[in-house]
Amino acid sequence: LTLQCYVGLTASDASLLVACGVDDPQELAYIDLSELHRRIEYYLEREEHLGRYGAISRYERSRLSRWIQSASVRPGLFALPRN
């Protein structure tokens, strides 16, 4: 929910990021673009994930870069504390 509200992602995009291990805006703000793309590509290799999220071609680097940039505007503002 934080990714949706703070970064402005769709519910589906936010869910994909969480499934790929990116669950807060601060983490998204500091992730390397190539690493994020690799994680999404790896996750979408499974047939059952393609049905929900679509092909990796939907997640061009320019799109992922906009997500990172949106989270970078004020990183950590809504970051949840880590235990």
Side-chain angles (χ1 to χ4, degrees), residues 15 17 55 80:
S15 175
L17 285 177
L80 302 174

Side-chain angles (χ1 to χ4, degrees), residues 26-42:
Q26 185 173 19
E27 191 172 356
L28 179 58
Y30 291 105
I31 195 166
D32 177 72
L33 176 60
S34 293
E35 172 64 15
L36 179 59
H37 190 267
R38 185 195 63 74
R39 287 186 192 188
I40 292 172
E41 187 173 44
Y42 178 78

Side-chain angles (χ1 to χ4, degrees), residues 16-76:
L16 176 63
L17 285 177
V18 170
C20 293
V22 179
D23 58 4
D24 67 55
Q26 185 173 19
E27 191 172 356
L28 179 58
Y30 291 105
I31 195 166
D32 177 72
L33 176 60
S34 293
E35 172 64 15
L36 179 59
H37 190 267
R38 185 195 63 74
R39 287 186 192 188
I40 292 172
E41 187 173 44
Y42 178 78
Y43 185 77
L44 293 178
E45 284 179 355
R46 298 191 59 179
E47 194 84 20
E48 65 267 19
H49 299 153
L50 284 175
R52 179 171 183 182
Y53 299 107
I56 187 65
S57 61
R58 286 192 58 225
Y59 301 95
E60 298 171 349
R61 289 177 185 266
S62 60
R63 181 179 182 185
L64 303 181
S65 181
R66 285 191 302 274
W67 294 355
I68 293 169
Q69 186 176 16
S70 293
S72 298
V73 173
R74 292 184 297 184

